[in-house]
Amino acid sequence: CSCVLLLHILLVLLLLFGKGTNKGFISMATVSDAKLWMGELDPNMDEQYITQLWASAGYIVSARIIRDKGTDISQGYGFVDFQSLQHAQAAVASVSGRPIPGIPGKFFRLNWAHNSAMAAQTGASQQYPPDAVTTGEEFSVFVGDLSREVSDQLLYTTFVARYPSTKSAKVVVDTETGSTKGYGFVRFNNHDEGRRGIEEMQSVDVGGRSIRLNE
C-alpha cells in the first residue's frame, strides 16, 4: 500500500533527522549559541550544498554563505544554524577538523559564531575590556577580514569611538599557534546601534584592511 510506504519513509526521515531530540522535526533554534561559523569553503559550495552536507551527517540546519556584494562570489565562509545548542555542540565535537566527504584536502572548519558561554570551551573567552560581563542580552556582530595587526583592544576602541554602547570586542585566535583567525566579534548593549554599526562600518579600514560585518 502506498500509505504504508509513505509512513515508512517518514519514520526513516525522523530517525535520520530527529537526532538528539524526541520531537522529530522542530524549528531552528533562535538562540545565537546554536549558530556556528563555517570557514574555508570552496566557491562552488552554496547554501544548498551546505544544508545537504549537514543532512548527511544527521543534522537539519539552515545555512547562509557570505558573499561579496559587488560580485556575489563566496567569501569562503558562512554561518550554520542548528536546531538546538546540543546539536551545535555535538557537531563541533564530532566533525570539526575532519575531512569533508568527497572533497580531498577540505576539512570541516567550525567555530562558535557568537561570544557565549560555549566560546570559553574553544579558547575564545578572552576579550577587551577583560572585565566585561556577558548578560545574554547583548547584540553580537561578526567582524571578518581582520588583519594580523588587529587586537582585541584595537577592535574595541575602533567601535566604541563611534558607538558608545560598544561593550566588548574579541579577536578569535588559534588555540595552538596563538595566531589570529582573521575574524572576531563586537558586542553592543544597544541593538539598534549594533545594527547601525553593521551598515556604517562595512569596508572601513582597520589595521590596513577593509573589514566585513554580519549579524
Side-chain angles (χ1 to χ4, degrees):
C1 175
S2 59
C3 294
V4 174
L5 178 60
L6 179 59
L7 179 59
H8 177 72
I9 292 174
L10 288 174
L11 287 173
V12 171
L13 289 174
L14 285 171
L15 288 173
L16 286 174
F17 300 123
K19 186 176 182 179
T21 175
N22 59 1
K23 295 182 180 181
F25 291 99
I26 59 175
S27 59
M28 293 298 156
T30 57
V31 294
S32 62
D33 280 344
K35 177 180 297 214
L36 296 181
W37 173 90
M38 187 172 181
E40 298 189 22
L41 303 178
D42 279 348
N44 60 340
M45 293 181 179
D46 58 12
E47 284 82 358
Q48 182 178 2
Y49 176 89
I50 298 300
T51 300
Q52 292 176 347
L53 178 65
W54 282 107
S56 68
Y59 298 94
I60 296 177
V61 305
S62 63
R64 180 165 63 99
I65 304 298
I66 304 305
R67 305 177 186 279
D68 183 277
K69 289 187 175 181
T71 64
D72 199 40
I73 295 175
S74 168
Q75 294 295 294
Y77 67 92
F79 300 95
V80 181
D81 287 286
F82 288 77
Q83 291 178 322
S84 68
L85 172 59
Q86 289 72 27
H87 283 192
Q89 286 177 297
V92 171
S94 61
V95 306
S96 185
R98 296 192 176 186
I100 294 178
I103 305 182
K106 279 293 180 180
F107 301 85
F108 283 95
R109 301 300 185 193
L110 306 172
N111 213 316
W112 297 99
H114 292 275
N115 284 332
S116 66
M118 293 311 306
Q121 298 181 16
T122 62
S125 59
Q126 298 303 310
Q127 60 188 3
Y128 189 89
D131 57 350
V133 179
T134 301
T135 65
E137 300 298 324
E138 298 89 351
F139 184 81
S140 184
V141 174
F142 173 90
V143 186
D145 291 349
L146 298 178
S147 70
R148 295 180 180 179
E149 288 70 31
V150 178
S151 63
D152 297 343
Q153 184 172 357
L154 175 58
L155 188 60
Y156 173 78
T157 55
T158 298
F159 278 85
V160 77
R162 302 189 185 194
Y163 310 102
S165 76
T166 302
K167 186 171 185 178
S168 66
K170 169 61 191 172
V171 176
V172 178
V173 299
D174 188 290
T175 56
E176 294 183 359
T177 66
S179 301
T180 175
K181 289 190 173 184
Y183 68 94
F185 303 92
V186 178
R187 289 187 292 138
F188 298 83
N189 283 321
N190 185 291
H191 288 214
D192 291 335
E193 201 165 79
R195 292 189 178 92
R196 186 159 57 86
I198 292 176
E199 296 180 3
E200 297 174 350
M201 294 294 285
Q202 291 289 353
S203 300
V204 169
D205 186 288
V206 179
R209 184 182 295 176
S210 298
I211 62 173
R212 296 185 180 278
L213 296 88
N214 291 280
E215 182 176 343

